[in-house]
Amino acid sequence: ERKRICYMSRVFGTPKGIKLFDVFESRMELSKAGVHRPPQGGICGTAQSGCESIVLSGGYADDVDDGEVITYTGAGGSDIKGNLVCDQELLRGNASLEKSLHTQDPVRVVRGHAIRGSLYAPERGFR
């Protein structure tokens, strides 16, 4: 039997009960805590409401984590090694990032332990 996940309402900024630098062991823990609701996928948001959160996890070769400044590739357009092979489209999650650019609502950034070359990534899990 497939378990049903109850997604809480959208939260821009820090969800209640969550502190900066809390560590979560898995994507499912992030989802259940409402920090990054989709158990898969790097962007949580819609083109209509904006982006709530992103996960920087090393899935794209072009992602860079320099602490206060990150380069986040977005979604789509990559091969299985994370190399961009075609242009990304401004749809779904990517469009939610553009919406947040205009609304200026905060976007939570979750760092995964697998970010290549990051001094800011947690040793394990997600933060």
mmCIF file of all heavy atoms in Angstrom, residues 49-85:
data_model
loop_
_atom_site.group_PDB
_atom_site.id
_atom_site.type_symbol
_atom_site.label_atom_id
_atom_site.label_comp_id
_atom_site.label_asym_id
_atom_site.label_seq_id
_atom_site.Cartn_x
_atom_site.Cartn_y
_atom_site.Cartn_z
ATOM 1 N N SER A 49 2.745 31.334 -7.263
ATOM 2 C CA SER A 49 3.008 31.794 -5.894
ATOM 3 C C SER A 49 4.475 32.092 -5.614
ATOM 4 O O SER A 49 4.786 32.762 -4.634
ATOM 5 C CB SER A 49 2.500 30.762 -4.887
ATOM 6 O OG SER A 49 3.179 29.538 -5.045
ATOM 7 N N GLY A 50 5.372 31.577 -6.423
ATOM 8 C CA GLY A 50 6.798 31.777 -6.187
ATOM 9 C C GLY A 50 7.461 30.548 -5.603
ATOM 10 O O GLY A 50 6.838 29.516 -5.396
ATOM 11 N N CYS A 51 8.742 30.665 -5.329
ATOM 12 C CA CYS A 51 9.557 29.552 -4.847
ATOM 13 C C CYS A 51 9.716 29.618 -3.335
ATOM 14 O O CYS A 51 10.142 30.630 -2.795
ATOM 15 C CB CYS A 51 10.929 29.609 -5.527
ATOM 16 S SG CYS A 51 12.001 28.244 -5.072
ATOM 17 N N GLU A 52 9.391 28.521 -2.664
ATOM 18 C CA GLU A 52 9.568 28.427 -1.215
ATOM 19 C C GLU A 52 10.994 28.013 -0.856
ATOM 20 O O GLU A 52 11.583 28.537 0.071
ATOM 21 C CB GLU A 52 8.643 27.362 -0.634
ATOM 22 C CG GLU A 52 7.188 27.590 -0.836
ATOM 23 C CD GLU A 52 6.409 26.350 -0.458
ATOM 24 O OE1 GLU A 52 6.670 25.768 0.620
ATOM 25 O OE2 GLU A 52 5.548 25.947 -1.257
ATOM 26 N N SER A 53 11.512 27.019 -1.605
ATOM 27 C CA SER A 53 12.820 26.463 -1.240
ATOM 28 C C SER A 53 13.480 25.780 -2.429
ATOM 29 O O SER A 53 12.815 25.361 -3.373
ATOM 30 C CB SER A 53 12.661 25.449 -0.099
ATOM 31 O OG SER A 53 11.805 24.381 -0.489
ATOM 32 N N ILE A 54 14.806 25.697 -2.331
ATOM 33 C CA ILE A 54 15.603 24.915 -3.293
ATOM 34 C C ILE A 54 16.553 24.033 -2.500
ATOM 35 O O ILE A 54 16.896 24.333 -1.353
ATOM 36 C CB ILE A 54 16.405 25.804 -4.268
ATOM 37 C CG1 ILE A 54 17.399 26.693 -3.515
ATOM 38 C CG2 ILE A 54 15.469 26.619 -5.151
ATOM 39 C CD1 ILE A 54 18.370 27.440 -4.419
ATOM 40 N N VAL A 55 16.970 22.936 -3.130
ATOM 41 C CA VAL A 55 17.985 22.068 -2.537
ATOM 42 C C VAL A 55 19.199 22.111 -3.441
ATOM 43 O O VAL A 55 19.133 21.763 -4.613
ATOM 44 C CB VAL A 55 17.500 20.614 -2.362
ATOM 45 C CG1 VAL A 55 18.626 19.724 -1.855
ATOM 46 C CG2 VAL A 55 16.320 20.562 -1.415
ATOM 47 N N LEU A 56 20.296 22.564 -2.890
ATOM 48 C CA LEU A 56 21.585 22.581 -3.583
ATOM 49 C C LEU A 56 22.296 21.300 -3.159
ATOM 50 O O LEU A 56 22.741 21.179 -2.018
ATOM 51 C CB LEU A 56 22.369 23.820 -3.147
ATOM 52 C CG LEU A 56 23.626 24.197 -3.913
ATOM 53 C CD1 LEU A 56 23.294 24.536 -5.360
ATOM 54 C CD2 LEU A 56 24.306 25.373 -3.245
ATOM 55 N N SER A 57 22.324 20.319 -4.063
ATOM 56 C CA SER A 57 22.808 19.005 -3.642
ATOM 57 C C SER A 57 23.867 18.389 -4.541
ATOM 58 O O SER A 57 24.183 17.214 -4.402
ATOM 59 C CB SER A 57 21.624 18.037 -3.526
ATOM 60 O OG SER A 57 21.000 17.879 -4.776
ATOM 61 N N GLY A 58 24.397 19.160 -5.466
ATOM 62 C CA GLY A 58 25.443 18.611 -6.320
ATOM 63 C C GLY A 58 24.923 17.878 -7.538
ATOM 64 O O GLY A 58 25.686 17.202 -8.219
ATOM 65 N N GLY A 59 23.636 18.012 -7.834
ATOM 66 C CA GLY A 59 23.049 17.314 -8.970
ATOM 67 C C GLY A 59 23.426 17.895 -10.323
ATOM 68 O O GLY A 59 23.303 17.238 -11.334
ATOM 69 N N TYR A 60 23.872 19.134 -10.339
ATOM 70 C CA TYR A 60 24.269 19.791 -11.585
ATOM 71 C C TYR A 60 25.729 20.216 -11.480
ATOM 72 O O TYR A 60 26.142 20.797 -10.475
ATOM 73 C CB TYR A 60 23.406 21.033 -11.858
ATOM 74 C CG TYR A 60 22.005 20.708 -12.315
ATOM 75 C CD1 TYR A 60 20.993 20.472 -11.398
ATOM 76 C CD2 TYR A 60 21.705 20.627 -13.668
ATOM 77 C CE1 TYR A 60 19.704 20.180 -11.815
ATOM 78 C CE2 TYR A 60 20.423 20.333 -14.095
ATOM 79 C CZ TYR A 60 19.429 20.103 -13.163
ATOM 80 O OH TYR A 60 18.158 19.815 -13.580
ATOM 81 N N ALA A 61 26.482 19.964 -12.522
ATOM 82 C CA ALA A 61 27.908 20.287 -12.528
ATOM 83 C C ALA A 61 28.168 21.784 -12.375
ATOM 84 O O ALA A 61 29.203 22.185 -11.844
ATOM 85 C CB ALA A 61 28.550 19.765 -13.821
ATOM 86 N N ASP A 62 27.221 22.617 -12.805
ATOM 87 C CA ASP A 62 27.415 24.076 -12.766
ATOM 88 C C ASP A 62 26.996 24.732 -11.448
ATOM 89 O O ASP A 62 27.184 25.931 -11.272
ATOM 90 C CB ASP A 62 26.646 24.738 -13.913
ATOM 91 C CG ASP A 62 27.208 24.374 -15.275
ATOM 92 O OD1 ASP A 62 28.371 23.950 -15.330
ATOM 93 O OD2 ASP A 62 26.490 24.522 -16.271
ATOM 94 N N ASP A 63 26.412 23.973 -10.512
ATOM 95 C CA ASP A 63 26.028 24.543 -9.224
ATOM 96 C C ASP A 63 27.279 24.900 -8.425
ATOM 97 O O ASP A 63 28.246 24.139 -8.389
ATOM 98 C CB ASP A 63 25.190 23.555 -8.409
ATOM 99 C CG ASP A 63 23.772 23.404 -8.936
ATOM 100 O OD1 ASP A 63 23.374 24.194 -9.808
ATOM 101 O OD2 ASP A 63 23.071 22.497 -8.454
ATOM 102 N N VAL A 64 27.262 26.076 -7.804
ATOM 103 C CA VAL A 64 28.407 26.550 -7.015
ATOM 104 C C VAL A 64 27.890 27.083 -5.684
ATOM 105 O O VAL A 64 26.898 27.804 -5.641
ATOM 106 C CB VAL A 64 29.168 27.684 -7.752
ATOM 107 C CG1 VAL A 64 30.320 28.205 -6.908
ATOM 108 C CG2 VAL A 64 29.665 27.208 -9.109
ATOM 109 N N ASP A 65 28.582 26.736 -4.614
ATOM 110 C CA ASP A 65 28.213 27.211 -3.277
ATOM 111 C C ASP A 65 29.379 28.002 -2.700
ATOM 112 O O ASP A 65 30.365 27.440 -2.258
ATOM 113 C CB ASP A 65 27.882 26.011 -2.382
ATOM 114 C CG ASP A 65 27.468 26.419 -0.980
ATOM 115 O OD1 ASP A 65 27.309 27.624 -0.717
ATOM 116 O OD2 ASP A 65 27.305 25.513 -0.138
ATOM 117 N N ASP A 66 29.249 29.316 -2.710
ATOM 118 C CA ASP A 66 30.274 30.198 -2.146
ATOM 119 C C ASP A 66 29.793 30.850 -0.855
ATOM 120 O O ASP A 66 30.205 31.962 -0.513
ATOM 121 C CB ASP A 66 30.649 31.288 -3.163
ATOM 122 C CG ASP A 66 31.482 30.749 -4.311
ATOM 123 O OD1 ASP A 66 32.239 29.788 -4.103
ATOM 124 O OD2 ASP A 66 31.352 31.288 -5.427
ATOM 125 N N GLY A 67 28.909 30.171 -0.139
ATOM 126 C CA GLY A 67 28.426 30.709 1.128
ATOM 127 C C GLY A 67 27.266 31.664 0.938
ATOM 128 O O GLY A 67 26.134 31.240 0.740
ATOM 129 N N GLU A 68 27.539 32.945 0.993
ATOM 130 C CA GLU A 68 26.482 33.961 0.840
ATOM 131 C C GLU A 68 25.960 34.057 -0.587
ATOM 132 O O GLU A 68 24.882 34.582 -0.821
ATOM 133 C CB GLU A 68 27.007 35.342 1.273
ATOM 134 C CG GLU A 68 27.255 35.464 2.757
ATOM 135 C CD GLU A 68 25.962 35.465 3.565
ATOM 136 O OE1 GLU A 68 24.978 36.091 3.141
ATOM 137 O OE2 GLU A 68 25.944 34.822 4.625
ATOM 138 N N VAL A 69 26.743 33.570 -1.548
ATOM 139 C CA VAL A 69 26.342 33.607 -2.960
ATOM 140 C C VAL A 69 26.401 32.188 -3.513
ATOM 141 O O VAL A 69 27.391 31.483 -3.330
ATOM 142 C CB VAL A 69 27.287 34.524 -3.777
ATOM 143 C CG1 VAL A 69 26.920 34.485 -5.253
ATOM 144 C CG2 VAL A 69 27.256 35.943 -3.248
ATOM 145 N N ILE A 70 25.305 31.793 -4.165
ATOM 146 C CA ILE A 70 25.290 30.482 -4.813
ATOM 147 C C ILE A 70 24.950 30.652 -6.286
ATOM 148 O O ILE A 70 24.341 31.642 -6.691
ATOM 149 C CB ILE A 70 24.277 29.512 -4.161
ATOM 150 C CG1 ILE A 70 22.848 30.048 -4.306
ATOM 151 C CG2 ILE A 70 24.624 29.237 -2.713
ATOM 152 C CD1 ILE A 70 21.782 29.058 -3.924
ATOM 153 N N THR A 71 25.372 29.679 -7.087
ATOM 154 C CA THR A 71 24.917 29.576 -8.467
ATOM 155 C C THR A 71 24.065 28.326 -8.512
ATOM 156 O O THR A 71 24.557 27.223 -8.260
ATOM 157 C CB THR A 71 26.106 29.445 -9.443
ATOM 158 O OG1 THR A 71 26.932 30.593 -9.306
ATOM 159 C CG2 THR A 71 25.613 29.327 -10.881
ATOM 160 N N TYR A 72 22.782 28.511 -8.760
ATOM 161 C CA TYR A 72 21.831 27.395 -8.785
ATOM 162 C C TYR A 72 21.347 27.227 -10.207
ATOM 163 O O TYR A 72 20.799 28.155 -10.810
ATOM 164 C CB TYR A 72 20.663 27.678 -7.835
ATOM 165 C CG TYR A 72 19.726 26.512 -7.717
ATOM 166 C CD1 TYR A 72 20.102 25.380 -7.002
ATOM 167 C CD2 TYR A 72 18.487 26.520 -8.332
ATOM 168 C CE1 TYR A 72 19.252 24.294 -6.888
ATOM 169 C CE2 TYR A 72 17.628 25.444 -8.226
ATOM 170 C CZ TYR A 72 18.018 24.333 -7.501
ATOM 171 O OH TYR A 72 17.179 23.256 -7.405
ATOM 172 N N THR A 73 21.525 26.048 -10.755
ATOM 173 C CA THR A 73 21.251 25.802 -12.158
ATOM 174 C C THR A 73 19.766 25.821 -12.497
ATOM 175 O O THR A 73 19.378 26.216 -13.571
ATOM 176 C CB THR A 73 21.869 24.453 -12.579
ATOM 177 O OG1 THR A 73 23.258 24.491 -12.267
ATOM 178 C CG2 THR A 73 21.697 24.197 -14.044
ATOM 179 N N GLY A 74 18.911 25.389 -11.604
ATOM 180 C CA GLY A 74 17.488 25.281 -11.907
ATOM 181 C C GLY A 74 17.130 23.845 -12.198
ATOM 182 O O GLY A 74 17.780 22.927 -11.714
ATOM 183 N N ALA A 75 16.104 23.627 -13.000
ATOM 184 C CA ALA A 75 15.636 22.270 -13.287
ATOM 185 C C ALA A 75 15.587 22.028 -14.788
ATOM 186 O O ALA A 75 15.212 22.898 -15.559
ATOM 187 C CB ALA A 75 14.247 22.066 -12.685
ATOM 188 N N GLY A 76 15.961 20.814 -15.170
ATOM 189 C CA GLY A 76 15.861 20.388 -16.561
ATOM 190 C C GLY A 76 17.098 20.697 -17.381
ATOM 191 O O GLY A 76 18.000 21.394 -16.939
ATOM 192 N N GLY A 77 17.131 20.125 -18.571
ATOM 193 C CA GLY A 77 18.189 20.413 -19.531
ATOM 194 C C GLY A 77 19.503 19.713 -19.290
ATOM 195 O O GLY A 77 20.510 20.078 -19.892
ATOM 196 N N SER A 78 19.526 18.688 -18.421
ATOM 197 C CA SER A 78 20.809 18.045 -18.118
ATOM 198 C C SER A 78 20.801 16.566 -18.476
ATOM 199 O O SER A 78 19.751 15.934 -18.597
ATOM 200 C CB SER A 78 21.135 18.204 -16.630
ATOM 201 O OG SER A 78 20.227 17.458 -15.858
ATOM 202 N N ASP A 79 22.019 16.015 -18.599
ATOM 203 C CA ASP A 79 22.159 14.581 -18.786
ATOM 204 C C ASP A 79 22.274 13.912 -17.411
ATOM 205 O O ASP A 79 22.215 14.584 -16.380
ATOM 206 C CB ASP A 79 23.353 14.256 -19.695
ATOM 207 C CG ASP A 79 24.698 14.686 -19.127
ATOM 208 O OD1 ASP A 79 24.803 14.968 -17.910
ATOM 209 O OD2 ASP A 79 25.670 14.746 -19.898
ATOM 210 N N ILE A 80 22.471 12.602 -17.379
ATOM 211 C CA ILE A 80 22.496 11.888 -16.091
ATOM 212 C C ILE A 80 23.712 12.233 -15.231
ATOM 213 O O ILE A 80 23.707 11.973 -14.041
ATOM 214 C CB ILE A 80 22.392 10.360 -16.276
ATOM 215 C CG1 ILE A 80 23.549 9.827 -17.119
ATOM 216 C CG2 ILE A 80 21.066 9.975 -16.887
ATOM 217 C CD1 ILE A 80 23.608 8.321 -17.174
ATOM 218 N N LYS A 81 24.724 12.848 -15.815
ATOM 219 C CA LYS A 81 25.902 13.269 -15.045
ATOM 220 C C LYS A 81 25.769 14.693 -14.517
ATOM 221 O O LYS A 81 26.662 15.199 -13.855
ATOM 222 C CB LYS A 81 27.157 13.150 -15.899
ATOM 223 C CG LYS A 81 27.509 11.726 -16.266
ATOM 224 C CD LYS A 81 28.769 11.674 -17.094
ATOM 225 C CE LYS A 81 29.074 10.238 -17.469
ATOM 226 N NZ LYS A 81 30.258 10.162 -18.321
ATOM 227 N N GLY A 82 24.667 15.361 -14.816
ATOM 228 C CA GLY A 82 24.443 16.716 -14.336
ATOM 229 C C GLY A 82 24.989 17.806 -15.229
ATOM 230 O O GLY A 82 25.021 18.960 -14.856
ATOM 231 N N ASN A 83 25.443 17.446 -16.432
ATOM 232 C CA ASN A 83 25.945 18.440 -17.382
ATOM 233 C C ASN A 83 24.777 19.002 -18.184
ATOM 234 O O ASN A 83 23.927 18.258 -18.665
ATOM 235 C CB ASN A 83 26.950 17.802 -18.350
ATOM 236 C CG ASN A 83 28.155 17.271 -17.616
ATOM 237 O OD1 ASN A 83 28.782 17.976 -16.849
ATOM 238 N ND2 ASN A 83 28.468 15.993 -17.834
ATOM 239 N N LEU A 84 24.738 20.326 -18.331
ATOM 240 C CA LEU A 84 23.684 20.928 -19.136
ATOM 241 C C LEU A 84 23.915 20.598 -20.602
ATOM 242 O O LEU A 84 25.003 20.793 -21.125
ATOM 243 C CB LEU A 84 23.668 22.448 -18.944
ATOM 244 C CG LEU A 84 23.150 22.913 -17.592
ATOM 245 C CD1 LEU A 84 23.260 24.422 -17.472
ATOM 246 C CD2 LEU A 84 21.727 22.482 -17.381
ATOM 247 N N VAL A 85 22.872 20.080 -21.246
ATOM 248 C CA VAL A 85 22.982 19.695 -22.644
ATOM 249 C C VAL A 85 22.003 20.446 -23.544
ATOM 250 O O VAL A 85 22.073 20.348 -24.759
ATOM 251 C CB VAL A 85 22.795 18.171 -22.820
ATOM 252 C CG1 VAL A 85 23.944 17.419 -22.158
ATOM 253 C CG2 VAL A 85 21.461 17.705 -22.258
#
